[in-house]
Amino acid sequence: MCGIAGVMTADGSAPAESLLKALTVALEHRGPDGQGRYTNGDAALIQTRLAIIDLETGDQPLHEPGGAALVANGEIYNYLELRASMADALFKTQSDCEPPLFLYRKHGLDFARHLRGMFAIAIHDPQQGRLVLARDPFGIKPLYYAETSKGFAFASEPHALIESGWIGAQLSEQSRNELLQLQFTTGRATIFKGIERVLPGEILAIEKGRIIERQHIEALPNNGSETEATIGMLDKILADSVAVHQRSHVPYGMFLSGGIDSSAVLAMMARLNPRPVKAFTAGFSGTAARDERDLAREVARSLGAEHIEIDFSEDDFWRALPQVAGAMDDPAADYAILPTWKLAATARTEGIKVILSGEGGDELFGGYGRYRSAMRPWFLGGRAMRRNGTLDGLGILREDLNGWRDGMQAAERAGKRTGRTRLQTAQAVDCADWLPNDLLTKLDRCLMAHGVEGRTPFLDPEVAAFAFRLPDKMKVHDGLGKYLLRQWVNKHAASADAFSKKRGFTVPVGEWIAKRGVQIGPLVAKRECIRAICKPEAVEALFREPDGKGAKFATWSLLFYALWHRHHIERRPFMLDALAALAEN
C-alpha cells in the first residue's frame, strides 16, 4: 500500500524536479516506509511506500528486462500463483507488484485482466513512449489525473496534484451539489475542476501527455443469469478470499461491528489463523446511538478473538473533524469517517499495519433496505434510490441545486442490462458510485492517514461472480437482505444473531451538533461557501432547532462541507478544533 504519482509532459521535456518533489511530499503520509523515483525522457513516476509484502527487496519503482517501469498502490493477491505460472520470468524481487510488469510485456493493456487484488498501477514503457494507468474493478484503490496544456499528471489523491502546482483548486458546482444532496460525488468528475478519476476497472494509455485509449474491466458479471448456491459453496469461496487477503509480511487485524459482514470476516479469519485475531470496535458512550460494543464483544469472545474497544466521544468529534475533513480531499459526508479515523489510529498504535473489513457485503449480497424498495414496481411502492436530496424540503436553499441527480441517473441507465433483475440493477448502481466514492474512499483516506492498509475480502472477483448471480430469493427473503450470508453466519458465528433485522450503523453527530446548535449555526451560516447556496437565517434556525433525523443529517452535511471547503478550496491550514476553524474569518 502506497502513494503513487507521475507526469508525462506534452512537449517532450523532462518533468521539473520541483514538481516531482512536491508530489512526493504531498503523498508522504501514504508511504512512511520509503520513497522511490523513476525518470525517463518526458515521463516520471514517484512512489511513497507502506511496506506490507517483501519488506527487503520490494522497493519501487520495479523494472523488467524490456525497459518498462512500474509503481503501484495496492496488493496483488494472486501474485504467488502468477509467479508460479511464469517460470521463465526473471523476477528480481518477491514483490506482489512485480508480476504485473511481466504480464504487461506479454499482454499489453490486457495485463490488468489477470490480476486479483486491489490496485492503482502506473507503468511507463519507453519502447512505446507510453504511460499506462490501471485501477481495480471495484475502485478499492484511488487514482486521479489532470490533463492540461502542460501534459498529463496523476496521483493517488487530488490534493497532491493541487499542492504540486500542476492544477488549481477550483470548485465544480455540480459536484458540490452532489456532495450536499447525496453525501458523495459520482462518475469521472471530482469536486475539483480539471481533476478526474480513473474509473473503477479502467485502463488508460497516454502518449505525449494525452490519453489515446481507454479500456474497462467489469466488476460485476455482464449478465444477471441466476445460479443456485449452497452454504457449502459460499464457505469455500469465503475461505479462499479471506486466505488471500491475509497474505502479508506484517501484522494484520480487522474492524468488527458485530453485524453480519464483519462477523463473517472474523469467523473465517478465526478459522484460518492459529493465533487470536485482533478485532477493533468503536462505540459511543452516553448517547442515544446504538452502541455495538456489547454485541461485538460477544462475537469476538465466541470466536476467540482479542477484542479492542474504543470510545468515540463528543470531544473526539469536535477535535477530529477538521483533520478528517482535511484528509477527505475527495469528499464524502459520511459520518462513519469519524469512528473509522480513530479505529485506524488505534490499530496503528497496536502495531497493526493491515486491516480487513466488511465493506461490500451489503452491495454484493443485497443487504440494504433500499434494495427491497427498488425490487418493487412503482405501483406497489417501488421507487428509485436516493430520489430525495439531503437539503430538500428544509427551506434553507436559495434555489434548487441543479444537476445533483444527473450522475445517479447515468449510473441507473448503465446498470440496466438484459437479464438483470431490479435488485441486480440496484446493486450495480451502488457499485458504480456509492461504493467507490463513499465507502471505499472513507476507508482509504482514514486508514492511509495513519499508515494502515485496508482490505475488503467481499470485494474480490471470485466472491462478486458468486454473489451477484445468486437468485434474488437467496439475497432477500422474508424481508431480510443477505439471506444466504445470514445462513452462513448463523452456522459459523451464532453469537452474531444473524437473523435479527439489519440495525445499520449510526454515529450521534446530530445529537452532538444540536447541543451546540445555537453557537455553531451562525458560524456555519456566515461561511461564504454556505451563503452561496443557502439562506443564512434559515441555516441558523435549522441548527438552533433541528426537527427530525433529516434535519440533523442536514446540519452535519453543512458543517462537514464548511470545514472541507475551508481547507481544500480556501487553502486554510488545519486547526485543532472545529469551532475555532469556523470562527476564523
Side-chain angles (χ1 to χ4, degrees):
M1 187 67 66
C2 308
I4 63 171
V7 181
M8 177 176 272
T9 62
D11 62 4
S13 62
E17 169 66 23
S18 59
L19 171 63
L20 301 182
K21 183 175 181 180
L23 287 168
T24 304
V25 170
L27 295 173
E28 282 179 334
H29 62 284
R30 295 186 69 92
D33 297 331
Q35 298 177 1
R37 182 189 293 188
Y38 160 92
T39 57
N40 190 326
D42 62 350
L45 307 175
I46 67 103
Q47 190 222 34
T48 59
R49 187 183 186 204
L50 178 64
I52 302 296
I53 290 177
D54 188 15
L55 307 186
E56 295 183 0
T57 67
D59 290 342
Q60 297 182 20
L62 299 170
H63 303 267
E64 56 87 40
L70 171 149
V71 293
N73 167 33
E75 304 293 346
I76 308 303
Y77 298 126
N78 63 335
Y79 76 103
L80 295 177
E81 291 79 5
L82 289 172
R83 283 174 173 271
S85 70
M86 293 187 282
D88 296 334
L90 299 176
F91 292 116
K92 296 180 180 179
T93 76
Q94 295 301 312
S95 171
D96 60 300
C97 292
E98 193 172 10
L101 260 177
F102 289 83
L103 289 171
Y104 167 77
R105 185 55 67 202
K106 182 177 181 180
H107 299 288
L109 298 186
D110 286 337
F111 81 98
R113 300 180 188 276
H114 299 264
L115 304 179
R116 181 184 183 185
M118 56 177 188
F119 53 85
I121 292 173
I123 296 174
H124 181 243
D125 183 353
Q127 289 185 14
Q128 302 292 327
R130 182 165 66 177
L131 174 67
V132 175
L133 302 184
R135 191 178 178 201
D136 68 80
F138 280 104
I140 303 169
K141 290 294 97 191
L143 195 56
Y144 304 85
Y145 66 89
E147 275 186 294
T148 72
S149 60
K150 297 175 289 186
F152 182 96
F154 69 91
S156 294
E157 298 179 3
H159 82 95
L161 298 170
I162 295 168
E163 292 179 16
S164 69
W166 182 261
I167 196 168
Q170 292 184 288
L171 186 72
S172 163
E173 291 186 0
Q174 180 161 333
S175 293
R176 174 206 63 190
N177 295 348
E178 287 183 331
L179 174 66
L180 290 170
Q181 294 285 57
L182 293 171
Q183 85 182 36
F184 60 95
T185 64
T186 68
R188 187 182 303 282
T190 71
I191 201 166
F192 299 105
K193 287 183 179 179
I195 299 181
E196 299 187 325
R197 301 179 178 103
V198 177
L199 293 178
E202 195 167 46
I203 305 160
L204 304 182
I206 301 99
E207 293 182 6
K208 297 181 179 179
R210 293 289 178 264
I211 297 172
I212 63 165
E213 187 175 351
R214 299 181 190 268
Q215 294 188 17
H216 190 262
I217 306 171
E218 295 279 356
L220 302 174
N222 281 324
N223 61 65
S225 59
E226 297 183 349
T227 303
E228 294 286 344
T230 65
I231 294 179
M233 295 167 65
L234 174 57
D235 186 84
K236 182 178 179 180
I237 287 171
L238 283 179
D240 177 59
S241 181
V242 172
V244 298
H245 279 73
Q246 290 183 161
R247 287 179 173 174
S248 171
H249 295 159
V250 296
Y252 53 81
M254 61 91 60
F255 286 166
L256 176 67
S257 70
I260 302 299
D261 304 332
S262 62
S263 293
V265 173
L266 178 57
M268 189 55 74
M269 291 179 74
R271 181 196 301 181
L272 297 174
N273 284 274
R275 292 180 292 183
V277 176
K278 283 191 175 183
F280 298 83
T281 303
F284 314 99
S285 298
T287 74
R290 187 180 64 85
D291 197 316
E292 298 186 324
R293 284 176 291 185
D294 289 343
L295 177 58
R297 188 183 307 122
E298 179 56 26
V299 172
R301 184 202 62 77
S302 68
L303 295 172
E306 178 185 345
H307 194 221
I308 299 170
E309 301 178 24
I310 72 157
D311 186 74
F312 191 90
S313 67
E314 184 176 351
D315 286 343
D316 288 325
F317 171 68
W318 294 111
R319 284 198 304 268
L321 187 51
Q323 297 178 66
V324 174
M328 297 294 296
D329 57 341
D330 188 358
D334 184 336
Y335 46 52
I337 56 180
L338 296 159
T340 302
W341 180 269
K342 191 170 182 179
L343 282 167
T346 304
R348 190 57 197 255
T349 300
E350 291 287 330
I352 298 297
K353 290 182 75 173
V354 173
I355 284 289
L356 276 66
S357 69
E359 271 79 6
D362 281 307
E363 289 77 10
L364 291 179
F365 287 90
Y368 294 122
R370 59 179 176 265
Y371 292 165
R372 296 191 283 281
S373 175
M375 291 170 70
R376 297 190 294 269
W378 66 268
F379 54 83
L380 293 178
R383 59 182 182 180
M385 298 191 299
R386 303 183 179 89
R387 64 175 184 174
N388 297 318
T390 298
L391 304 186
D392 287 344
L394 299 174
I396 63 173
L397 294 173
R398 292 185 182 275
E399 57 186 20
D400 290 342
L401 297 179
N402 294 326
W404 70 267
R405 211 177 179 282
D406 290 355
M408 286 298 302
Q409 290 176 333
E412 288 164 355
R413 290 191 296 270
K416 292 179 180 178
R417 304 280 179 86
T418 301
R420 281 184 178 174
T421 67
R422 291 175 183 269
L423 173 55
Q424 288 173 326
T425 297
Q427 291 175 276
V429 170
D430 269 352
C431 287
D433 281 305
W434 156 259
L435 185 62
N437 300 333
D438 185 309
L439 302 185
L440 296 176
T441 300
K442 168 204 71 178
L443 190 70
D444 176 82
R445 298 304 199 277
C446 290
L447 269 66
M448 290 305 294
H450 296 93
V452 179
E453 173 178 289
R455 297 183 177 183
T456 52
F458 285 115
L459 298 178
D460 176 82
E462 302 299 323
V463 177
F466 171 84
F468 189 70
R469 289 194 175 105
L470 289 173
D472 286 359
K473 65 183 180 181
M474 300 187 79
K475 299 173 187 174
V476 178
H477 185 78
D478 288 340
L480 290 176
K482 296 186 287 195
Y483 186 68
L484 182 64
L485 186 60
R486 288 176 189 268
Q487 289 180 306
W488 187 91
V489 170
N490 190 54
K491 181 177 180 180
H492 297 284
S495 58
D497 193 17
F499 284 97
S500 62
K501 288 190 177 294
K502 182 177 176 63
R503 294 172 289 266
F505 181 71
T506 302
V507 181
V509 294
E511 182 179 335
W512 291 330
I513 293 170
K515 285 184 179 180
R516 301 189 182 185
V518 173
Q519 182 182 10
I520 293 292
L523 297 178
V524 172
K526 78 172 186 177
R527 307 301 302 186
E528 186 58 37
C529 64
I530 301 297
R531 297 173 67 88
I533 56 174
C534 295
K535 295 176 282 190
E537 66 280 2
V539 171
E540 291 189 37
L542 184 72
F543 275 82
R544 190 164 55 246
E545 295 184 19
D547 183 17
K549 182 179 178 180
K552 289 181 178 179
F553 189 78
T555 62
W556 150 251
S557 296
L558 292 171
L559 172 60
F560 174 84
Y561 175 64
L563 289 168
W564 180 90
H565 190 280
R566 175 190 175 276
H567 182 73
H568 293 285
I569 300 299
E570 300 170 35
R571 313 301 294 165
R572 303 290 185 87
F574 286 122
M575 297 191 75
L576 297 179
D577 179 80
L579 294 179
L582 291 169
E584 182 187 55
N585 293 324

